[in-house]
Amino acid sequence: MPRSESLWTGTVDPAQYPPLDADARADVCVVGAGIAGLTTAYLLAREGRSVVLLDDGRPGAGQTGVTTAHLSYEIDDSYVTMVRLHGAEGARQAYHSHRAAIDRIEAIAQLEGIDCDFQRVSGYLFPADRHGAREIDEELEAAKTAGVTVQRLDAAPVKGFYSGACLHFPRQGQFHPLKYLNGLAAAFARLGGRLHTGTRVTAVTGGTPATVQTTGGQTVTASAAVIATNVPFNDRLVIHTKQAPYHTYVIGARVAPGAITHALYWDTDDPYHYVRLHRVTKAQLGGDNQDAVDILIVGGEDHKAGQAQDAEQRFAKLDVWMREKFPAAREVEFRWSGQVMETQDGLAFIGRNPMDEENVYVATGDSGMGLTHGTIAGILLTDLIAGRANPWADLYDPSRIRTGAAAEFVKENLNVALQYASWLTGGEVASVDEIPPNSGAVLREGLTKVAVFRDEAGELHRRSAVCTHLGCIVAWNPAASTWDCPCHGSRFDPMGKVISGPAKSDLADAEKG
Ligand SMILES: Cc1cc2nc3c(=O)[nH]c(=O)nc-3n(C[C@H](O)[C@H](O)[C@H](O)COP(=O)(O)OP(=O)(O)OC[C@H]3O[C@@H](n4cnc5c(N)ncnc54)[C@H](O)[C@@H]3O)c2cc1C
Ligand code: FES
């Protein structure tokens, strides 16, 4: 049976730092130690700022620990979309910013001596079916309009996979995200940065000074605050109407080393498949020697978060697709899933938090490219906090409105509105007897709904199923063992404890909720 964890958490332990136990003062307080928060904190510290970085868990405990770690300037939402929504100049800036992010990760790894398996690899976009060839030609045209370095090939010159006609993006990157984060955290600490894990933040208030409050009762005061919690918890609506949570699935299968060329591979399907390889040792997989093994990482099968509960079928479909395209794949060692925030115009929101004080900044809306977007956030927010001009500021401005994205805005917000109808429907199961151990389901009880989790010992744990953000009904996510909100992406552990916002508080007691 494959391990239900990512290749990254399965091979590296995220670093741990002491929790914040007293009030503190800093130039900047950053909340969230994923790639966005850590890069921002590190770059600010490099410029001599005093920085306090707070995280509820450990660095990488969020989505950076379950990524697939493609570092690419081929935009997930395509250059066709970039040119249509952001114009040729916007598409050009998107290209430059993502390319600069890959360069910056490589430079930081070199400067700080971070052994994170960083590797330059080619990226190939290949057709999912016979219609895909046309999409590839359109993407080539749009990419050229944006000035992207790209070429069309009859087939990718690789071992172990036949792509057909494809686009080649040279000098992309890949790395081990947790090795990188651990190294970045250590470098931040060497620069005098103060990182506190196990510290949950409940409120951020802008002003002079900005204040950041924790569940432990401590307050950090700072000249500026950055919210890099993947989904911001201090915004009730402005950003949440402009992005939507999607759940995505990954499997990692053994491959003989060298049987498939290390590269980034994507198809044109919707949702698309994303593929890469990572080399580990047999010992890291529980074996007794240091022989090399390649893990073929295959992702896809995305759906709107909280709106599907067929994880087994999705993993099975990925497996079938992988074996058809990559016949060298052997047994699946890892399988995992995670959440991405899709913005209506395909780019992240990085900058001043809309309708907040001037000194509160946000990084969110990863759009499936959160490693490069998170690194762009570090570069851009450091400039904004220092009062320097940055050419990408308008492109990523969280307050931006792109009129061409109106249809996507209406579609996603209609979808959110429809979720409230689940207040009126029945439960996922009629009785708790239908809930197997280590699983959960939502039940109707009179006028409300209850989220019931049955633990391994068979004991039932009941919480209100009403999301504490804006009242949608959560759904059980069997792949990640979480309660996921279908509206704006809040997630709760099986006992109802909030893992990620925008909800700030845990699911209520079932008897009171
Ligand atoms: C399966 C999958 C594959 C992906 N593949 C790619 C890829 O190939 N390339 C790519 O570029 N991107 C990819 N992404 C997206 C990318 O991994 C993420 O967008 C990115 O890692 C998010 O980084 P982050 O710093 O914004 O958030 P996170 O890594 O989620 O970090 C946020 C941190 O904030 C902390 N936090 C949250 N709330 C609070 C609070 N109230 N108080 C204190 N701390 C808090 C959390 O503990 C967490 O550590 C993928 C995502 C998934 C799920
Ligand atoms: S995340 Fe907004 S209602 Fe649940």
Side-chain angles (χ1 to χ4, degrees), residues 280-296:
V280 295
T281 61
K282 285 188 178 160
Q284 285 179 298
L285 301 179
D288 56 6
N289 64 56
Q290 298 296 325
D291 290 353
V293 182
D294 278 348
I295 298 290
L296 175 67

Side-chain angles (χ1 to χ4, degrees), residues 15-21 53-55 57 194-199:
Q16 197 167 1
Y17 290 80
L20 184 70
D21 59 3
L53 172 58
L54 306 175
D55 197 291
R194 288 164 280 167
L195 169 51
H196 299 283
T197 56
T199 305

Side-chain angles (χ1 to χ4, degrees), residues 241-254:
T241 56
K242 301 201 293 184
Q243 60 180 5
Y246 280 77
H247 208 73
T248 181
Y249 297 81
V250 184
I251 54 177
R254 267 182 200 243

Side-chain angles (χ1 to χ4, degrees), residues 72-293:
S72 175
Y73 59 69
E74 161 57 350
I75 307 288
D76 271 27
D77 276 28
S78 78
Y79 280 102
V80 171
T81 306
M82 291 299 105
V83 172
R84 182 172 64 81
L85 296 181
H86 303 281
E89 177 55 22
R92 200 177 66 81
Q93 294 291 3
Y95 161 54
H96 280 283
S97 57
H98 284 273
R99 200 181 67 175
I102 306 170
D103 292 346
R104 185 60 70 99
I105 289 170
E106 183 177 36
I108 291 173
Q110 270 172 10
L111 179 70
E112 302 295 348
I114 303 172
D115 180 7
C116 59
D117 309 336
F118 180 91
Q119 211 185 332
R120 287 283 180 176
V121 286
S122 287
Y124 299 102
L125 177 70
F126 62 95
D129 54 28
R130 62 194 170 82
H131 303 294
R134 197 187 64 232
E135 287 175 49
I136 282 198
D137 288 335
E138 289 168 357
E139 181 63 356
L140 179 65
E141 277 316 300
K144 281 186 174 163
T145 304
V148 174
T149 307
V150 57
Q151 68 190 135
R152 192 186 197 281
L153 302 176
D154 290 336
V158 295
K159 242 174 108 180
F161 170 62
Y162 177 69
S163 66
C166 66
L167 298 189
H168 172 223
F169 298 87
R171 286 183 57 74
Q172 310 298 289
Q174 63 174 37
F175 68 168
H176 189 306
L178 287 189
K179 287 186 180 177
Y180 181 68
L181 279 200
N182 280 354
L184 204 53
F188 171 64
R190 281 196 300 275
L191 291 165
R194 288 164 280 167
L195 169 51
H196 299 283
T197 56
T199 305
R200 183 154 197 89
V201 171
T202 49
V204 173
T205 312
T208 318
T211 57
V212 175
Q213 262 137 12
T214 70
T215 43
Q218 295 82 22
T219 302
V220 180
T221 46
S223 305
V226 175
I227 305 181
T229 50
N230 194 237
V231 187
F233 57 83
N234 63 327
D235 174 286
R236 282 190 77 76
L237 222 49
V238 181
I239 284 184
H240 300 306
T241 56
K242 301 201 293 184
Q243 60 180 5
Y246 280 77
H247 208 73
T248 181
Y249 297 81
V250 184
I251 54 177
R254 267 182 200 243
V255 176
I260 303 170
T261 303
H262 282 220
L264 311 184
Y265 304 94
W266 317 272
D267 70 7
T268 55
D269 218 348
D270 184 18
Y272 71 101
H273 295 93
Y274 46 99
V275 180
R276 57 161 285 207
L277 293 106
H278 199 89
R279 186 153 297 173
V280 295
T281 61
K282 285 188 178 160
Q284 285 179 298
L285 301 179
D288 56 6
N289 64 56
Q290 298 296 325
D291 290 353
V293 182

Side-chain angles (χ1 to χ4, degrees), residues 31-38 54-72 76 181 199-202 228-231 233 246 248-250 266 274 276 299 336-341 363-374 499-501 503-504:
V31 186
I35 193 159
L38 246 170
L54 306 175
D55 197 291
D56 190 21
R58 298 182 186 192
Q63 299 312 296
T64 308
V66 290
T67 184
T68 51
H70 298 221
L71 303 173
S72 175
D76 271 27
L181 279 200
T199 305
R200 183 154 197 89
V201 171
T202 49
T229 50
N230 194 237
V231 187
F233 57 83
Y246 280 77
T248 181
Y249 297 81
V250 184
W266 317 272
Y274 46 99
R276 57 161 285 207
W336 72 91
S337 67
Q339 188 166 292
V340 293
M341 297 304 296
T364 186
D366 57 80
S367 304
M369 304 186 72
L371 300 176
T372 38
H373 271 142
I499 303 171
S500 62
K504 290 189 211 175

Side-chain angles (χ1 to χ4, degrees), residues 420 467-472 474 485-490 492 501-503:
Y420 286 93
C467 175
T468 52
H469 178 227
L470 292 173
C472 286
V474 298
C485 181
C487 287
H488 314 105
S490 292
F492 305 85

